[in-house]
Structures are given as C-alpha cells and as structure tokens.
Amino acid sequence: MFRLLLKQRMSTKASPFKAKVTAVESLTQGKWIQTRKIKYNDPNGNSREWEMAVRTTRSDTTNIDAVSIVSILHHTDKPKEIVLVQQFRPPTERVVIELPAGLIDPNESVETTAVRELQEETGYHGEFRKQSPVIYSDPGLTNANMVLAYVDIDLQNPKNCDPKPKLEESEFITTFSLPLNNLRKSLDEIAQRENCTVDARLYHFAMGLELAKTQL
Amino acid sequence: MFRLLLKQRMSTKASPFKAKVTAVESLTQGKWIQTRKIKYNDPNGNSREWEMAVRTTRSDTTNIDAVSIVSILHHTDKPKEIVLVQQFRPPTERVVIELPAGLIDPNESVETTAVRELQEETGYHGEFRKQSPVIYSDPGLTNANMVLAYVDIDLQNPKNCDPKPKLEESEFITTFSLPLNNLRKSLDEIAQRENCTVDARLYHFAMGLELAKTQL
C-alpha cells in the first residue's frame, strides 16, 4: 500500500522569500495588463464612465482568465488537509499563500486547466470533480474572472506517492498543506511568522470554514 | 420590542439590472486605475519584469485600498442570514453579488470604514468586532488589497428597525440577505435566475461554509 509522507514544504528550487522588487515604473499599455475606459448607462439611463484593468491573455473561446483549485488530502493517519502554494508576487512585494491556480491556455477547458495546473504547481495527480460558475476577483477594479474547481487527490495512487512539481524556469512555487480545521488561524500564524501574506479568496474560504463552526 | 421585517430587496433607486456598458476604449493612464512595470529579482537573484494594475486612490497612511464586511443577522424567528449587496459593475458588464465593501477614505481607520460603508450601502448600524490582516484580491494582477471586517448588527437596536441606505447619486446598490445555511447553492440559484454573477471572495466564503459541513 502506498502512503504519502507529506513533507511540510516540497519546494524544489530557491525559497520564494529570497525575491525582491527593485523598481516600479509607469507603464502606458502593458503586454500582459492594460487599462480601459468604459462608457456605460446607469440604471436611470444616464451615461457615465468607469476605468478598469484587463488581462490581455484571456482566450476568446472560454472568456475565462483563470482556474483556482480546492484539493483536500484525505490522510489515513491525520486530519484532512488542503493543498496550498506560496510564491513571491511582485505586485504585492511579498510572498503570498494561495490556492493552486493558473491561467487557462487557448482552447483549454476548465477541467483540463485544473488538473494540469495542480500537477505542474504541486506535483499531485488529481481528478476533476466539479466547478463554480464564472466569478469575478475584484469586480470594481477589473474584468479578471475565474472558476473555482474542486479536484480529488487519491493518496493511494502511486503517482501521488512522491509528488514532484513541474515548474517553469521563472516559477518559484512552494507547495505545502495545512489542516482544514482552524485553517484561518493557521494562515494568520504563518503570515505573521514568515512575514508573508494571504490571497483574499483563500482567506474568505478559511473565514467560511471558521464561521460554519460557530454560526451554522 | 423592535422587530425587523426584512424585505427581500431594500433598494431605494432604479434596479441595477437596467444598467449597461455602451463602449470600452483604450486608456493610457487612468485617473483611478493605472498600470506599472515592476522590476524584481527572482529568488536566484536574476532580474525579471512583471506588470500590474494599481488603484491611484490608496491612502499613504493606511496602505490599504478597501474593507469588505461580513455581517450576520441573528433573527429570532428564522435562521441566520448574511447581509449582501448587488450592483452593476461596469468591468464585468454584469450585476454582481458581493459583500458590502468600500474604499478607505484618507486618514480613516479600517474600523470606521467598515461601520460607515455598512451603513451607507445597507442602512444597518453595526458594531465593529474584528478584522483580518491585509489580504490581496488578485496578487498576480494587482497590488489591490483589502481587510475583511466582521461587524455585528443588533436587530433589537431601534436604528436597525427600518434600515435606509445612504447612497451617492452615482451608486445603485440593492441590499438583501440570504440564509448562511446553503449559501453557495442560493448564490448559484440567484446568479442563474437573474443572469447576474458573484464576487470571487464571497463565493470562496460560501465554499468554505459548505465544505465545513462535509469535511470538518
């Protein structure tokens, strides 16, 4: 029988904490990120304007930017854990704890992206189970959208015995897992101890888990 | 004794569903949203570049853009509900269901913003209880950050008997509430029925609530 000896941190490369921002410069129109002016009619029919940021990488076929992945590890000898990643995010100038995630490639389905990104970022071979509708990460600021996927990881699968991420040369992603129970407190503690920060979507997920215990 | 007869929708103005985008134009540098090129050293010390969107409105004193608010209604005659808002968001070209939220004014504290925005958007007078650390809404795309606040609403308080939002002339926000139990399913149903969409942070919160029931 195969058992996963999960290492607390499965990084294969240099620590993301060694990265740092050296300069921030003005940019008119980026290759990856641009701004747009929107003209719209308000509910009373009055013409108004709004500004937004857009990703230039969105595929016309899906009209979705990204997929994030919830994967729970069902251990036989300890409580359930959720798979997380940690990487330096230049916009924040910090290392950020997030759900595994990635942009959808052209002509790729949500299902394929979810399984591919989980494997590339964390090394785990998963089975796609279900997905959310298209949701918007910060709808006052940007049209950036995503789908939240739920992917099962079978720890009895030999492929998951010693998960090895397949990172691109420019990616420095550390995979780890935390118990689902008390996830919010664990995130707070790690963020404080390591001087890193947490993705808002992951934090809201953890708040939901916590609130369910006292309010449901 | 005061009792809140909660209307399903407490909008005071025209329906957000009447709004629509009429044009989307290129924009070099916006008044509210701009792009930046970041130079950074990766963990191996190699110089790399990244692009990001920034809000121009962030106060230097807090270094925080926004506050979102979790408020639970403790009814005496029906299950607990969470306070939500619905508004047309030009970047998404859709009406979006979100937690009440707002940008922090210059020199304003998180606590003050949370109570002020809850009252302005929903009409409820709340008491600030606690807040998250600073978290990032879409850290690969933008430095936009926020704090998640937890605000108590005392439904016995006479001020909360007939909550009246104080919306700006350009705001068309509808307040409503949904049972905490099965929140994710309710959001899915409303989004489908009304052809609107859901903020990713709220959706992750609802996923956490749901997963707690089966996985914790």
Short mmCIF file of all heavy atoms in Angstrom, two decimals, chain A residues 166-211:
data_model
loop_
_atom_site.label_atom_id
_atom_site.label_comp_id
_atom_site.label_asym_id
_atom_site.label_seq_id
_atom_site.Cartn_x
_atom_site.Cartn_y
_atom_site.Cartn_z
N LYS A 166 6.22 20.48 -11.65
CA LYS A 166 6.93 20.75 -12.91
C LYS A 166 6.87 22.25 -13.14
O LYS A 166 5.99 22.73 -13.86
CB LYS A 166 6.23 20.05 -14.09
CG LYS A 166 6.34 18.55 -14.08
CD LYS A 166 5.63 18.00 -15.32
CE LYS A 166 5.47 16.49 -15.26
NZ LYS A 166 4.56 16.00 -16.31
N LEU A 167 7.77 22.97 -12.55
CA LEU A 167 7.71 24.43 -12.62
C LEU A 167 8.48 24.96 -13.82
O LEU A 167 9.48 24.38 -14.23
CB LEU A 167 8.28 25.03 -11.34
CG LEU A 167 7.53 24.62 -10.06
CD1 LEU A 167 8.24 25.16 -8.84
CD2 LEU A 167 6.09 25.11 -10.10
N GLU A 168 7.95 26.08 -14.37
CA GLU A 168 8.72 26.75 -15.42
C GLU A 168 9.94 27.42 -14.80
O GLU A 168 9.99 27.63 -13.59
CB GLU A 168 7.83 27.80 -16.11
CG GLU A 168 6.74 27.15 -16.95
CD GLU A 168 5.76 28.18 -17.51
OE1 GLU A 168 6.18 29.32 -17.72
OE2 GLU A 168 4.59 27.82 -17.70
N GLU A 169 10.85 27.77 -15.67
CA GLU A 169 12.13 28.32 -15.20
C GLU A 169 11.92 29.59 -14.37
O GLU A 169 12.69 29.88 -13.44
CB GLU A 169 13.02 28.58 -16.43
CG GLU A 169 14.41 29.08 -16.15
CD GLU A 169 14.54 30.56 -16.50
OE1 GLU A 169 13.66 31.10 -17.23
OE2 GLU A 169 15.51 31.16 -16.04
N SER A 170 10.86 30.35 -14.68
CA SER A 170 10.62 31.62 -13.99
C SER A 170 9.71 31.46 -12.77
O SER A 170 9.37 32.43 -12.10
CB SER A 170 9.99 32.63 -14.95
OG SER A 170 8.72 32.15 -15.39
N GLU A 171 9.26 30.23 -12.50
CA GLU A 171 8.35 29.99 -11.38
C GLU A 171 9.10 29.46 -10.15
O GLU A 171 9.91 28.54 -10.27
CB GLU A 171 7.27 28.97 -11.77
CG GLU A 171 6.20 29.51 -12.69
CD GLU A 171 5.14 28.46 -13.01
OE1 GLU A 171 5.49 27.28 -13.24
OE2 GLU A 171 3.96 28.83 -13.04
N PHE A 172 8.79 30.04 -9.00
CA PHE A 172 9.41 29.59 -7.75
C PHE A 172 8.27 29.38 -6.77
O PHE A 172 7.96 30.26 -5.96
CB PHE A 172 10.40 30.63 -7.24
CG PHE A 172 11.55 30.86 -8.18
CD1 PHE A 172 11.42 31.74 -9.25
CD2 PHE A 172 12.75 30.19 -8.01
CE1 PHE A 172 12.47 31.95 -10.13
CE2 PHE A 172 13.80 30.39 -8.89
CZ PHE A 172 13.67 31.27 -9.96
N ILE A 173 7.62 28.24 -6.88
CA ILE A 173 6.42 27.98 -6.10
C ILE A 173 6.69 26.87 -5.09
O ILE A 173 7.23 25.82 -5.44
CB ILE A 173 5.25 27.58 -7.03
CG1 ILE A 173 4.94 28.74 -7.99
CG2 ILE A 173 4.02 27.19 -6.23
CD1 ILE A 173 3.92 28.40 -9.06
N THR A 174 6.32 27.12 -3.85
CA THR A 174 6.47 26.13 -2.80
C THR A 174 5.10 25.53 -2.52
O THR A 174 4.13 26.26 -2.33
CB THR A 174 6.99 26.80 -1.51
OG1 THR A 174 8.21 27.47 -1.81
CG2 THR A 174 7.23 25.77 -0.43
N THR A 175 4.99 24.21 -2.49
CA THR A 175 3.73 23.55 -2.16
C THR A 175 3.76 23.09 -0.71
O THR A 175 4.77 22.59 -0.23
CB THR A 175 3.52 22.32 -3.06
OG1 THR A 175 3.41 22.76 -4.40
CG2 THR A 175 2.26 21.57 -2.67
N PHE A 176 2.65 23.27 -0.03
CA PHE A 176 2.54 22.72 1.32
C PHE A 176 1.07 22.43 1.59
O PHE A 176 0.22 22.65 0.72
CB PHE A 176 3.15 23.65 2.37
CG PHE A 176 2.45 24.97 2.54
CD1 PHE A 176 1.80 25.28 3.72
CD2 PHE A 176 2.46 25.92 1.52
CE1 PHE A 176 1.16 26.50 3.89
CE2 PHE A 176 1.83 27.14 1.67
CZ PHE A 176 1.18 27.42 2.86
N SER A 177 0.77 21.91 2.74
CA SER A 177 -0.63 21.65 3.07
C SER A 177 -0.87 22.02 4.53
O SER A 177 0.05 21.99 5.36
CB SER A 177 -0.98 20.19 2.81
OG SER A 177 -0.11 19.35 3.52
N LEU A 178 -2.10 22.41 4.82
CA LEU A 178 -2.49 22.79 6.18
C LEU A 178 -3.78 22.07 6.55
O LEU A 178 -4.63 21.83 5.68
CB LEU A 178 -2.74 24.30 6.26
CG LEU A 178 -1.54 25.23 6.22
CD1 LEU A 178 -1.99 26.68 6.20
CD2 LEU A 178 -0.60 24.97 7.40
N PRO A 179 -3.95 21.73 7.83
CA PRO A 179 -5.21 21.12 8.25
C PRO A 179 -6.39 22.02 7.91
O PRO A 179 -6.31 23.24 8.10
CB PRO A 179 -5.05 20.98 9.77
CG PRO A 179 -3.57 20.97 9.99
CD PRO A 179 -2.98 21.84 8.93
N LEU A 180 -7.48 21.43 7.40
CA LEU A 180 -8.70 22.22 7.13
C LEU A 180 -9.22 22.83 8.42
O LEU A 180 -9.72 23.95 8.42
CB LEU A 180 -9.78 21.30 6.57
CG LEU A 180 -9.99 21.23 5.07
CD1 LEU A 180 -11.28 20.47 4.79
CD2 LEU A 180 -10.04 22.60 4.42
N ASN A 181 -9.12 22.08 9.50
CA ASN A 181 -9.60 22.56 10.78
C ASN A 181 -8.70 23.72 11.26
O ASN A 181 -7.48 23.59 11.24
CB ASN A 181 -9.59 21.41 11.80
CG ASN A 181 -10.51 21.70 12.96
OD1 ASN A 181 -11.40 22.57 12.89
ND2 ASN A 181 -10.32 20.98 14.06
N ASN A 182 -9.33 24.82 11.65
CA ASN A 182 -8.58 26.01 12.11
C ASN A 182 -7.69 26.61 11.02
O ASN A 182 -6.64 27.19 11.32
CB ASN A 182 -7.74 25.70 13.35
CG ASN A 182 -8.61 25.34 14.54
OD1 ASN A 182 -9.67 25.94 14.73
ND2 ASN A 182 -8.18 24.37 15.32
N LEU A 183 -8.10 26.47 9.76
CA LEU A 183 -7.28 26.98 8.65
C LEU A 183 -7.00 28.48 8.79
O LEU A 183 -5.88 28.93 8.56
CB LEU A 183 -7.99 26.69 7.31
CG LEU A 183 -7.26 27.19 6.07
CD1 LEU A 183 -5.90 26.52 5.91
CD2 LEU A 183 -8.11 26.94 4.81
N ARG A 184 -8.02 29.25 9.18
CA ARG A 184 -7.80 30.70 9.25
C ARG A 184 -6.72 31.04 10.27
O ARG A 184 -5.83 31.86 10.00
CB ARG A 184 -9.10 31.44 9.61
CG ARG A 184 -8.97 32.96 9.38
CD ARG A 184 -10.09 33.74 10.02
NE ARG A 184 -10.16 33.55 11.46
CZ ARG A 184 -9.35 34.15 12.34
NH1 ARG A 184 -8.42 34.97 11.94
NH2 ARG A 184 -9.49 33.90 13.63
N LYS A 185 -6.78 30.39 11.42
CA LYS A 185 -5.76 30.66 12.44
C LYS A 185 -4.37 30.25 11.95
O LYS A 185 -3.38 30.94 12.20
CB LYS A 185 -6.09 29.93 13.74
CG LYS A 185 -7.16 30.63 14.55
CD LYS A 185 -7.37 29.97 15.91
CE LYS A 185 -8.53 30.65 16.64
NZ LYS A 185 -8.93 29.91 17.85
N SER A 186 -4.30 29.11 11.26
CA SER A 186 -3.00 28.66 10.73
C SER A 186 -2.45 29.67 9.73
O SER A 186 -1.26 29.97 9.73
CB SER A 186 -3.14 27.30 10.05
OG SER A 186 -3.64 26.34 10.94
N LEU A 187 -3.33 30.18 8.86
CA LEU A 187 -2.88 31.18 7.87
C LEU A 187 -2.37 32.43 8.56
O LEU A 187 -1.32 32.97 8.21
CB LEU A 187 -4.03 31.53 6.92
CG LEU A 187 -4.47 30.43 5.95
CD1 LEU A 187 -5.75 30.85 5.23
CD2 LEU A 187 -3.37 30.13 4.93
N ASP A 188 -3.12 32.90 9.57
CA ASP A 188 -2.69 34.09 10.32
C ASP A 188 -1.31 33.87 10.95
O ASP A 188 -0.44 34.74 10.89
CB ASP A 188 -3.70 34.42 11.43
CG ASP A 188 -4.92 35.16 10.91
OD1 ASP A 188 -4.93 35.51 9.71
OD2 ASP A 188 -5.86 35.38 11.69
N GLU A 189 -1.14 32.70 11.55
CA GLU A 189 0.12 32.42 12.24
C GLU A 189 1.30 32.36 11.27
O GLU A 189 2.36 32.92 11.52
CB GLU A 189 0.01 31.08 13.00
CG GLU A 189 -0.78 31.21 14.29
CD GLU A 189 -1.17 29.86 14.88
OE1 GLU A 189 -0.63 28.82 14.41
OE2 GLU A 189 -2.02 29.83 15.78
N ILE A 190 1.09 31.66 10.14
CA ILE A 190 2.18 31.55 9.16
C ILE A 190 2.50 32.92 8.57
O ILE A 190 3.67 33.28 8.41
CB ILE A 190 1.81 30.56 8.05
CG1 ILE A 190 1.70 29.15 8.62
CG2 ILE A 190 2.84 30.59 6.91
CD1 ILE A 190 1.22 28.13 7.61
N ALA A 191 1.44 33.68 8.24
CA ALA A 191 1.66 35.01 7.64
C ALA A 191 2.48 35.89 8.58
O ALA A 191 3.38 36.61 8.15
CB ALA A 191 0.32 35.66 7.31
N GLN A 192 2.15 35.81 9.86
CA GLN A 192 2.88 36.64 10.82
C GLN A 192 4.31 36.14 11.03
O GLN A 192 5.27 36.91 11.00
CB GLN A 192 2.14 36.65 12.16
CG GLN A 192 2.73 37.64 13.15
CD GLN A 192 1.80 37.89 14.33
OE1 GLN A 192 0.99 37.03 14.69
NE2 GLN A 192 1.91 39.05 14.93
N ARG A 193 4.44 34.82 11.17
CA ARG A 193 5.77 34.24 11.47
C ARG A 193 6.72 34.45 10.30
O ARG A 193 7.89 34.74 10.48
CB ARG A 193 5.59 32.75 11.74
CG ARG A 193 6.83 32.05 12.27
CD ARG A 193 6.51 30.62 12.65
NE ARG A 193 6.19 29.79 11.50
CZ ARG A 193 5.14 28.96 11.44
NH1 ARG A 193 4.31 28.86 12.45
NH2 ARG A 193 4.94 28.23 10.35
N GLU A 194 6.20 34.28 9.07
CA GLU A 194 7.07 34.32 7.90
C GLU A 194 7.05 35.67 7.18
O GLU A 194 7.65 35.81 6.12
CB GLU A 194 6.67 33.20 6.93
CG GLU A 194 6.73 31.82 7.57
CD GLU A 194 6.58 30.69 6.57
OE1 GLU A 194 6.35 30.96 5.38
OE2 GLU A 194 6.71 29.52 6.99
N ASN A 195 6.31 36.63 7.73
CA ASN A 195 6.17 37.93 7.10
C ASN A 195 5.70 37.80 5.64
O ASN A 195 6.22 38.42 4.73
CB ASN A 195 7.48 38.73 7.16
CG ASN A 195 7.27 40.18 6.74
OD1 ASN A 195 6.18 40.73 6.89
ND2 ASN A 195 8.30 40.79 6.18
N CYS A 196 4.73 36.92 5.44
CA CYS A 196 4.13 36.80 4.11
C CYS A 196 2.67 37.20 4.22
O CYS A 196 2.22 37.67 5.26
CB CYS A 196 4.30 35.40 3.55
SG CYS A 196 3.46 34.11 4.46
N THR A 197 1.90 37.07 3.16
CA THR A 197 0.51 37.49 3.20
C THR A 197 -0.36 36.42 2.54
O THR A 197 0.14 35.38 2.11
CB THR A 197 0.35 38.89 2.55
OG1 THR A 197 -1.00 39.32 2.68
CG2 THR A 197 0.73 38.87 1.09
N VAL A 198 -1.67 36.65 2.51
CA VAL A 198 -2.62 35.63 2.07
C VAL A 198 -3.52 36.19 0.97
O VAL A 198 -3.97 37.34 1.06
CB VAL A 198 -3.48 35.13 3.26
CG1 VAL A 198 -4.45 34.04 2.81
CG2 VAL A 198 -2.60 34.64 4.40
N ASP A 199 -3.77 35.40 -0.05
CA ASP A 199 -4.72 35.74 -1.11
C ASP A 199 -6.11 35.92 -0.49
O ASP A 199 -6.53 35.12 0.35
CB ASP A 199 -4.74 34.59 -2.13
CG ASP A 199 -5.75 34.80 -3.23
OD1 ASP A 199 -6.95 34.53 -2.99
OD2 ASP A 199 -5.35 35.22 -4.32
N ALA A 200 -6.83 36.97 -0.90
CA ALA A 200 -8.12 37.28 -0.29
C ALA A 200 -9.15 36.17 -0.51
O ALA A 200 -9.97 35.90 0.36
CB ALA A 200 -8.67 38.60 -0.85
N ARG A 201 -9.08 35.51 -1.67
CA ARG A 201 -10.06 34.45 -1.94
C ARG A 201 -9.83 33.28 -1.01
O ARG A 201 -10.78 32.73 -0.43
CB ARG A 201 -9.98 34.05 -3.42
CG ARG A 201 -10.43 35.20 -4.32
CD ARG A 201 -9.88 35.08 -5.72
NE ARG A 201 -8.44 35.21 -5.75
CZ ARG A 201 -7.71 35.30 -6.86
NH1 ARG A 201 -8.31 35.27 -8.04
NH2 ARG A 201 -6.40 35.43 -6.80
N LEU A 202 -8.57 32.89 -0.81
CA LEU A 202 -8.26 31.82 0.14
C LEU A 202 -8.67 32.23 1.55
O LEU A 202 -9.23 31.42 2.31
CB LEU A 202 -6.75 31.51 0.09
CG LEU A 202 -6.24 30.58 1.19
CD1 LEU A 202 -6.93 29.22 1.14
CD2 LEU A 202 -4.72 30.41 1.07
N TYR A 203 -8.44 33.49 1.92
CA TYR A 203 -8.78 33.94 3.27
C TYR A 203 -10.30 33.89 3.50
O TYR A 203 -10.77 33.49 4.57
CB TYR A 203 -8.25 35.35 3.53
CG TYR A 203 -8.09 35.63 5.01
CD1 TYR A 203 -6.88 35.40 5.66
CD2 TYR A 203 -9.17 36.08 5.77
CE1 TYR A 203 -6.74 35.62 7.01
CE2 TYR A 203 -9.04 36.30 7.12
CZ TYR A 203 -7.83 36.07 7.74
OH TYR A 203 -7.71 36.28 9.10
N HIS A 204 -11.06 34.28 2.48
CA HIS A 204 -12.53 34.22 2.60
C HIS A 204 -13.00 32.76 2.74
O HIS A 204 -13.94 32.47 3.47
CB HIS A 204 -13.20 34.88 1.39
CG HIS A 204 -13.22 36.37 1.47
ND1 HIS A 204 -12.09 37.16 1.38
CD2 HIS A 204 -14.26 37.25 1.63
CE1 HIS A 204 -12.42 38.44 1.48
NE2 HIS A 204 -13.72 38.53 1.63
N PHE A 205 -12.36 31.86 1.99
CA PHE A 205 -12.66 30.43 2.11
C PHE A 205 -12.44 29.99 3.56
O PHE A 205 -13.30 29.31 4.15
CB PHE A 205 -11.75 29.66 1.14
CG PHE A 205 -11.85 28.17 1.24
CD1 PHE A 205 -12.89 27.49 0.65
CD2 PHE A 205 -10.88 27.46 1.92
CE1 PHE A 205 -12.98 26.10 0.74
CE2 PHE A 205 -10.95 26.08 2.01
CZ PHE A 205 -12.00 25.40 1.42
N ALA A 206 -11.31 30.39 4.13
CA ALA A 206 -10.98 30.00 5.51
C ALA A 206 -11.96 30.63 6.50
O ALA A 206 -12.32 30.01 7.51
CB ALA A 206 -9.54 30.41 5.83
N MET A 207 -12.40 31.87 6.24
CA MET A 207 -13.40 32.52 7.10
C MET A 207 -14.71 31.75 7.05
O MET A 207 -15.41 31.63 8.06
CB MET A 207 -13.64 33.95 6.63
CG MET A 207 -12.80 35.00 7.30
SD MET A 207 -13.12 35.16 9.07
CE MET A 207 -14.64 36.16 9.05
N GLY A 208 -15.08 31.26 5.87
CA GLY A 208 -16.30 30.46 5.74
C GLY A 208 -16.21 29.18 6.56
O GLY A 208 -17.15 28.81 7.28
N LEU A 209 -15.07 28.50 6.45
CA LEU A 209 -14.85 27.27 7.23
C LEU A 209 -15.00 27.57 8.72
O LEU A 209 -15.63 26.80 9.45
CB LEU A 209 -13.43 26.74 7.00
CG LEU A 209 -13.13 25.93 5.74
CD1 LEU A 209 -11.62 25.66 5.65
CD2 LEU A 209 -13.90 24.63 5.71
N GLU A 210 -14.42 28.68 9.16
CA GLU A 210 -14.44 29.02 10.59
C GLU A 210 -15.85 29.39 11.05
O GLU A 210 -16.31 28.92 12.10
CB GLU A 210 -13.48 30.17 10.85
CG GLU A 210 -13.44 30.59 12.32
CD GLU A 210 -12.36 31.63 12.58
OE1 GLU A 210 -11.19 31.23 12.67
OE2 GLU A 210 -12.69 32.82 12.67
N LEU A 211 -16.50 30.22 10.27
CA LEU A 211 -17.82 30.70 10.66
C LEU A 211 -18.84 29.57 10.72
O LEU A 211 -19.79 29.60 11.51
CB LEU A 211 -18.31 31.79 9.69
CG LEU A 211 -18.87 33.03 10.36
CD1 LEU A 211 -17.78 33.78 11.10
CD2 LEU A 211 -19.53 33.93 9.34
#
